[in-house]
Structures are given as C-alpha cells and as structure tokens.
C-alpha cells in the first residue's frame, strides 16, 4: 500500500467512524424506548417474560433483569434463600441511645481483609445471564503496609489563608435571544448576527470598548444554535466554543487564575478567550451556573449579582463574586481559615491515594427513580418535597487531623461504646450489608452500579452487597424506624471531629436568610425577584463550594485539526468532531490543589443522603423523611428532593434542611419511567401548587 492509498483509506475510516457514532446515538434512543415498552407491558396481569422476550428480541434473562417481577416460577423456586445471620464476633453487638421507635442492630465485623462468603455456582450463573452489565467493583485499601502508608498527608500541601486581595472583573449581562446588553447602569441593543462566539465578542467589544472580562449569558443559549447538526448536545457546544474567532485565541491562563481553555458542558459551558495581540482576556459564561432564570431580563440578573455582592460584604470585607459559585465558595472559605489556634498554619491535604479512594467510593446526591412494578402504573397524586438549603445543615462537623485506619480486627476489639462513638464520628467505612428478610421499603445504602460513578440502592429482602458509606448512613441503617439492617465492618477511615466549615457556612446561611427576607418583604417586584435570585446564588455558592472540595481528577480538553488527527494524544477520548476540528479530553490525575478536601464533601453528602431517609425535628418532637412514609409511596429522590404519592404534615420553619412542599399534582398521574417524564411532572406539580395558592 502506497502513501496516497494509505491516506485515502484513513479518510474513509474517519467517515465510517462518524457514521458509527451517529448510529450508536440512534440505537441508544431505540433501546431506551424498547425497555420502556417492556416495563409497560409488564403491568399486564398475564404478562410473562417468555412471551415478551421474543417480541423484544431479548433473552428471558434480559427481560427479567428489567422487570424482576416477571421471573419464571421455576427460577424463583430455585432462588437461594439468604444465609442466616452470622454470629457477632468479639462482643460487637451495638447498643446505643435510640428514639423510642427504633431498635439496636448487630454490627458484626469480618476478619481483616476477608473475602465475601462464597456464592453457589448456580446463583452466579443466573446473575451473569440476567445482568448484561456487571456492577463496577469499588476499590479497597491494600492489606499490607502499602495501605497503611496511605494514611498520611500530602507533603507540603495545605489550605492556608490568602495574603492577597481578590480582584473584581468588569462584567456585562447579555440576552442573546433579544440582543439586550446591560453594562453597569447602561442598557444596549446589539446585533449578534449568527450568535457565534466571534459575533458575541465583536458586538460586545464594539459596544464596551474600554474592555470586559466576563460576559454572562442570561438567555438564548447560543451554544445550542446548531444542535440539529450533531448527535449529542455536547458536540454542538464543543463546536460552538471551538469555532474560529478572528483576533482571539483560546485563553492559556494568567497569574493566580490558572483557569485556562474552554470548559465543555452540555448546558453551562465556559468559553475562555484571549486577544491574539495584547493581554486582554474574557470569559463567556452562563448564569445557569448560579440560578435558574425564568424570563428575567439582564437588568434583573445584574441587580441580583449586585445584591449578592453587597450581602457577602457584610461578612467578608474583601468578598468578590468570581466567575462561578464553586470558585466564589472556595475563595470565601479560605478567608475564614483561622489566623490563630490549631489550624492557623492551614488544613493539610490527604495523600493522593486516599483522595483517589474517596473519589471512587463517596457518591454525591441520591438520584433514584422507582418505577413500575415497584409502584402502580397510575399514582393517586405526585407530591414534591425539597429540603431547603439542605447541605447547609450538614456542615457543623467535618473530618480533621491525620486519618486513622480502622480494620475489621481493630473494630471488633473495641468496646461497644467505642464502636458506637466511631460510627457517630467522622468516618468512611467499607461494609458488607444485608437487607432484612422481611424488608418492604426503599433501599438505605448506596451500592456500585454499572457505569462510571453510578450508584443504586438495593432494597430486595435478603440482598447482600459490599460498599463504602459514611457514618450518618451507617447509623441510619442500624437505627432506622422500621427494622435494623445487618452491617459488617470490613475496613474504615476515621478522623477527629472538627469544624473547618462551620464559620463559612454560618456566614452563608445568614446571607441566605437576609436575602430571602428581602425577597419576601421587598415592595418593588423587580428588586424582590433580584433578591430571590441572589438567595439562590448563595445556595449555589455553598452547594458547589462543597463540591469543589471533592477535587475530581483533572480532565484536560483540547482540539486538533482534522488534517492533523495523528497528533491527538493516544490516551485521549474523542468527545466531538466536525469537518474541521476534533475535540478530545484526557485525564491528568489529581492536581496539587491546596484546597482539595474530599473528606469534607463526602461527610456532607452522606449526612444529606441520610436526612432524606429520616430527620428529627427536635422542636416539634417529630420526624420527616422517606422512611416515615408508607411502603410503596416513594416515587423518586433527586439530590435534596423527595417525590411521594401522598402529602405529609412535616414542619417547615424556613430553616436549612426543612422539608418544603414545592409541588402537588392531583391524580391519577401516570407513573414516570424516565427522568424526563419525572421532570415534566415536577414542573406541572409546581405550577399546579402555585395556581392553587394564588386562587
């Protein structure tokens, strides 16, 4: 084969690659539609997996995996019974002061680094045939001294109080649907032509010649203008960001702000540009990072940011609203690091190994949709409860100090009191979990599911699985108001209790309270709306500030001309392409980030997930949460929201963590089977509740 033939064949191969990507996108949609139809068919009283399987082109096992209730009687009869409870070792039965309606549960431990009990061969074969994708396996701490070496801090890396003043950036607010631009107290009308990045930059800098460093898009989503040309939304966004911008190039970062390159996100991307000549830098961002805009004009959005800045200044004299809530949150937190006392020299960062373990084993919010046949096809109603400013309730205690490894043997050797103190403390535990044989409610603990960072919540009676979970969730599983679960400690990480986030969170909560009050009592409708948006922005500062502590492994995004495809890094994943450019991304591991504290994010997320299940209201002497609802009435969880088939009289005192009634849709309501259907019903329920209150 000569060089010309080789190059021609490469071009043909790229064409086939593009066609395959589009075909796969179409196939994914068709498979989702097929699965939805199978679930619908399963609601028929005489439905059988043997009848549905050939119609769907699947095996009986595949159909049963989608709808377990369709398992043939012969398989169900041969299914193994859950093993009897193991005797607790070394006096590790837990007993602790509990609410009157709860009971203590045994907390047996396993021998150090022991393997799960053997599974009968026929069960293994059945599981393999019924599950097209095996759950991912969570990592463990190495058994030898290698694992013990993880329990240290990264050398020379700690969060310290900044010794510089953050600089504000000149900002404009632009509605790309109408062309309305607000700069300080002036309003302009721009001709944005085709709404490309180049058109926006040209129009804005022609109107504001003295220079702008940040352009917030309030409406119009210009990066979605060519979605019909691409199989994925992300591809359209990448193409918009990377289209030619004469006179500009992709920003490479500067000074203390090392943010560089475009950030490809399906809904809230960030475009970073730099003059080809000169030092002028500008970002194009979406205000969707901060709050949801519901038809608000750029002037109202501008007022919201002004109110946010003024409110933050009451607590931080040097507060600056940065480009994103996460940047703002972490910057404000560093300015609460104590100047005296134990941590005046900073909060040390964990070893990279422990950070990696937490990244892999500590999920974020609970997102779960419960579908038929676990629920009826027609729901009597759909009620939405949202935990107000939820994460702010779980920042009062966080892990600090050098972590300690707590092996199964160590835990078993402790007294009952020491075990309970550890489980109440700041810890992250590897556990073997067994669901009670008579359990008939929702799952309590997250387990790894197929897919990158995917989690599910097993609830089947007798189910056993191994996972990692935080102390609040372990405690909830042991003391829940229905029936204690069996928990075996396999390994664990334990820290001292501290308050590194308490001052920061209290100031943000006070800021949120003040802005919420302004929104309620403000007589001017526009200023009331601006105050409401500002209060939502404070929520985002705390929410995404906590997420920023988690410090995901860094992902670098880049572009390469199609003519230079051989220059794409060999370990990169191609995430988009057009006729001219290939967009790719590649992981680069953990950066030496002095503010990386995934242990704080993990503890807060665990507490928030546990509070979705049960939360005590001391002043009202009552409880709220999913476990305080009848079995079969929970429809979905979405981070800090709970969807039910009946309302509950739970207290709401406008305090962080309180359950707020957000939506109420009277039935009958067709049970949602996809996230899109749930969100459609959510919006309808919120609208119905608003109309009811205004009537």
């Amino acid at each position: 084969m000569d060089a010309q033939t080789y190059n021609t064949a490469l071009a043909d191969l790229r064409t086939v690659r593009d066609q395959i990507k589009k075909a796969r996108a179409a196939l994914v949609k068709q498979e989702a539609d097929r699965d939805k139809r199978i679930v619908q068919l399963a609601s028929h009283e005489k439905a059988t997996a043997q009848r549905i399987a050939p119609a769907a082109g699947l095996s009986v096992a595949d159909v049963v995996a989608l709808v377990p209730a369709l398992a043939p009687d012969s398989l169900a009869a041969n299914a193994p019974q859950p093993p009897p409870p193991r005797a607790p070792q070394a006096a590790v039965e837990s007993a602790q002061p509990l609410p009157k309606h709860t009971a203590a549960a045994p907390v047996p431990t396993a021998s150090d680094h022991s393997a799960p009990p053997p599974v009968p061969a026929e069960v293994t074969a059945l599981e393999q045939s019924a599950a097209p994708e095996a759950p991912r396996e969570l990592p463990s701490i190495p058994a030898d001294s290698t694992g013990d070496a993880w329990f240290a801090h990264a050398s020379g890396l700690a969060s310290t109080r900044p010794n510089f003043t953050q600089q504000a950036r000149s900002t404009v607010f632009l509605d790309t649907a109408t062309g309305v631009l607000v700069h300080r107290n002036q309003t302009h009308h721009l001709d944005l032509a085709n709404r490309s990045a180049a058109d926006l930059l040209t129009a804005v800098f022609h109107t504001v010649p003295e220079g702008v460093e940040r352009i917030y898009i309030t409406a119009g989503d210009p990066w979605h203008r060519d979605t019909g040309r691409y199989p994925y939304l992300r591809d359209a966004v990448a193409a918009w960001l990377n289209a030619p911008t004469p006179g500009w190039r992709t920003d490479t970062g500067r000074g203390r702000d090392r943010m560089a390159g475009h950030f490809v996100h399906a809904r809230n991307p960030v475009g970073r540009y730099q003059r080809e000549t000169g030092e002028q830098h500008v970002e194009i961002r979406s205000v969707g990072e901060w709050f949801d805009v519901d038809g608000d004009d750029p002037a109202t959005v501008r007022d919201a940011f002004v109110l946010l800045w003024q409110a933050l200044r009451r607590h931080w004299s040097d507060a600056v609203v940065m480009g994103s809530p996460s940047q703002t949150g972490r910057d404000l937190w560093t300015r609460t690091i104590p100047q005296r006392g134990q941590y005046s020299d900073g909060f040390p960062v964990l070893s990279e190994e422990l950070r990696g373990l937490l990244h892999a084993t500590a999920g974020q919010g609970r997102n779960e949709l419960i579908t038929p046949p676990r629920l009826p096809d027609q729901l009597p109603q759909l009620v939405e409860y949202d935990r107000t400013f939820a994460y702010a309730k779980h920042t009062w205690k966080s892990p600090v100090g050098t972590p300690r490894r707590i092996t199964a043997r160590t835990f078993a050797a402790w007294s009952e009191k020491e075990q309970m103190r550890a489980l109440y403390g700041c810890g992250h535990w590897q556990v073997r979990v067994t669901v009670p044989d008579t359990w008939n409610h929702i799952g309590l603990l997250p387990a790894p599911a197929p897919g990158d960072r995917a989690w599910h919540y097993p609830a089947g009676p007798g189910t056993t699985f191994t996972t990692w979970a935080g102390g609040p969730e372990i405690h909830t599983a042991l003391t829940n108001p229905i029936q204690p679960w069996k928990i075996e400690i396999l390994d664990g990480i334990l820290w001292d209790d501290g308050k590194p986030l308490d001052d920061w969170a209290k100031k943000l909560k006070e800021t949120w309270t003040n802005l919420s009050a302004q929104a309620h009592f403000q007589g001017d409708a526009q200023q009331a709306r601006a105050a409401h948006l500002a209060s939502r922005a404070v929520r985002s500062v705390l929410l995404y500030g906590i997420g920023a502590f988690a410090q995901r492994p860094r992902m670098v995004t880049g572009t390469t001309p199609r003519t230079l495809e051989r220059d794409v890094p060999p370990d990169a994943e191609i995430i988009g392409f057009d006729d001219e450019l290939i967009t790719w991304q590649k992981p680069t591991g953990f950066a030496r980030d002095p503010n990386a504290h995934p242990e704080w994010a993990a503890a807060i997320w665990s507490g928030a997930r546990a509070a979705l299940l049960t939360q005590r209201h001391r002043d009202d002497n009552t409880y709220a949460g999913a476990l305080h609802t009848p079995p079969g009435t929970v429809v979905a969880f979405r981070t800090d929201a709970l969807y039910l088939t009946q309302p509950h009289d739970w207290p709401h005192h406008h305090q962080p963590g309180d359950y707020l009634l957000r939506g109420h849709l009277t039935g009958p309501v067709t049970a949602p089977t996809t996230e899109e259907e749930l969100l459609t019903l959510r919006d309808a329920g919120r609208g119905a509740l608003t109309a009811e209150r205004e009537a």
Side-chain angles (χ1 to χ4, degrees), residues 332-354:
L332 293 175
W333 172 75
T334 61
R335 298 172 194 279
T336 64
I337 294 175
Q339 295 176 292
R340 302 182 191 84
Q342 183 178 3
Y343 293 103
S344 58
D345 292 333
F347 291 93
V349 173
L350 295 176
S351 68
E352 184 169 336
E353 291 82 4
L354 277 189

Side-chain angles (χ1 to χ4, degrees), residues 218-249:
T218 65
D221 296 343
W223 37 79
H224 292 162
R225 62 176 190 153
D226 291 329
T227 53
R229 294 175 50 194
Y230 299 91
Y232 299 105
L233 202 59
R234 189 182 173 93
D235 291 347
V237 173
W240 188 88
L241 290 170
N242 293 301
T245 49
W248 299 85
R249 58 182 171 84

Side-chain angles (χ1 to χ4, degrees), residues 318-445:
D318 53 354
V320 169
V321 178
M322 301 180 70
S324 70
S326 61
Q327 289 173 293
T328 305
R330 287 218 300 188
D331 180 69
L332 293 175
W333 172 75
T334 61
R335 298 172 194 279
T336 64
I337 294 175
Q339 295 176 292
R340 302 182 191 84
Q342 183 178 3
Y343 293 103
S344 58
D345 292 333
F347 291 93
V349 173
L350 295 176
S351 68
E352 184 169 336
E353 291 82 4
L354 277 189
R355 281 181 281 151
L357 181 74
L358 286 165
H359 167 70
T361 61
Q364 194 173 346
R366 178 169 182 167
N367 288 286
E368 180 184 21
L369 177 62
I370 299 170
T371 59
R374 292 178 63 187
L375 288 175
D377 290 330
Q378 296 294 313
L379 309 179
Q381 52 193 317
L382 184 67
V383 186
E384 178 192 7
Y385 287 96
D386 187 28
R387 292 188 66 230
T388 302
F389 204 14
Y391 285 2
K393 187 176 178 64
H394 305 287
T395 55
W396 64 277
K397 182 177 74 171
S398 300
V400 294
T402 303
R404 291 177 290 153
R405 183 178 190 179
I406 309 299
T407 64
R409 183 177 292 119
T410 299
F411 190 88
W414 282 351
S415 68
E416 195 175 272
K417 184 176 181 180
E418 288 173 318
Q419 291 176 359
M420 287 304 103
R421 186 185 300 118
L423 293 178
Y424 268 118
C426 293
H428 190 59
W429 303 92
Q430 186 180 32
V431 291
R432 185 182 296 125
V433 183
T434 301
V435 182
D437 293 346
T438 57
W439 187 258
N440 67 345
H441 218 295
I442 55 173
L444 303 187
L445 292 171

Side-chain angles (χ1 to χ4, degrees), residues 249-583:
R249 58 182 171 84
T250 303
D251 199 348
T252 55
R254 65 205 189 277
R256 295 183 184 276
D257 185 0
R258 291 185 291 272
M259 302 296 280
H262 303 316
F263 174 60
V264 181
H265 186 278
R267 309 227 170 252
N268 296 315
V270 181
R272 300 186 178 98
Y273 302 92
Q274 180 179 356
R275 286 281 191 193
E276 289 182 347
T277 57
E279 288 298 314
Q280 195 165 37
H281 304 255
V282 63
E283 290 182 331
I284 300 177
R285 310 190 73 113
S286 168
V287 295
E289 295 180 83
W290 293 88
F291 42 68
D292 292 330
V293 177
D294 186 14
D296 299 294
D297 59 41
T300 302
V301 175
R302 180 232 17 229
D303 291 347
F305 276 88
V306 171
L307 288 174
L308 171 64
W309 174 75
Q310 291 173 340
L312 291 174
R313 282 273 171 147
R314 296 189 182 100
H315 299 285
W316 287 275
S317 60
D318 53 354
V320 169
V321 178
M322 301 180 70
S324 70
S326 61
Q327 289 173 293
T328 305
R330 287 218 300 188
D331 180 69
L332 293 175
W333 172 75
T334 61
R335 298 172 194 279
T336 64
I337 294 175
Q339 295 176 292
R340 302 182 191 84
Q342 183 178 3
Y343 293 103
S344 58
D345 292 333
F347 291 93
V349 173
L350 295 176
S351 68
E352 184 169 336
E353 291 82 4
L354 277 189
R355 281 181 281 151
L357 181 74
L358 286 165
H359 167 70
T361 61
Q364 194 173 346
R366 178 169 182 167
N367 288 286
E368 180 184 21
L369 177 62
I370 299 170
T371 59
R374 292 178 63 187
L375 288 175
D377 290 330
Q378 296 294 313
L379 309 179
Q381 52 193 317
L382 184 67
V383 186
E384 178 192 7
Y385 287 96
D386 187 28
R387 292 188 66 230
T388 302
F389 204 14
Y391 285 2
K393 187 176 178 64
H394 305 287
T395 55
W396 64 277
K397 182 177 74 171
S398 300
V400 294
T402 303
R404 291 177 290 153
R405 183 178 190 179
I406 309 299
T407 64
R409 183 177 292 119
T410 299
F411 190 88
W414 282 351
S415 68
E416 195 175 272
K417 184 176 181 180
E418 288 173 318
Q419 291 176 359
M420 287 304 103
R421 186 185 300 118
L423 293 178
Y424 268 118
C426 293
H428 190 59
W429 303 92
Q430 186 180 32
V431 291
R432 185 182 296 125
V433 183
T434 301
V435 182
D437 293 346
T438 57
W439 187 258
N440 67 345
H441 218 295
I442 55 173
L444 303 187
L445 292 171
D452 182 36
R453 294 191 59 77
W455 301 89
H456 67 148
Y457 294 80
T463 300
T464 296
F465 58 96
T466 299
T467 190
W468 285 84
E473 293 168 284
I474 300 294
H475 176 256
T476 298
L478 290 170
T479 65
N480 75 82
I482 299 173
Q483 186 180 10
W485 283 29
K486 179 185 174 185
I487 306 292
E488 297 175 78
I489 302 296
L490 305 178
D491 214 337
I493 310 168
L494 189 63
W495 291 266
D496 293 335
D497 296 351
K499 294 182 175 293
L501 304 176
D502 196 42
D503 185 34
W504 173 71
K506 283 180 178 177
K507 290 178 177 179
L508 289 177
K509 283 186 277 190
E510 289 179 19
T511 303
W512 171 78
T513 299
N514 291 335
L515 288 169
S516 298
Q518 286 186 54
H520 183 72
F521 294 108
Q522 172 63 250
D524 182 277
Q526 179 173 328
Q527 287 301 300
R529 177 62 181 172
H532 171 73
L533 294 177
S535 72
R536 298 297 292 172
V538 175
R539 174 186 177 276
S540 296
V541 167
L542 185 133
L543 178 70
Y544 295 114
I546 290 168
F549 287 123
Q551 195 224 14
R552 306 286 186 239
R554 295 186 70 184
M555 190 73 72
V556 173
T557 302
T559 59
T560 301
R562 292 288 291 258
T563 56
L564 300 174
E565 184 162 346
R566 68 185 66 184
D567 293 338
V568 173
D571 56 343
E573 174 194 3
I574 295 176
I575 60 174
F577 46 80
D578 56 25
D579 294 338
E580 297 180 358
L581 291 173
I582 298 170
T583 304

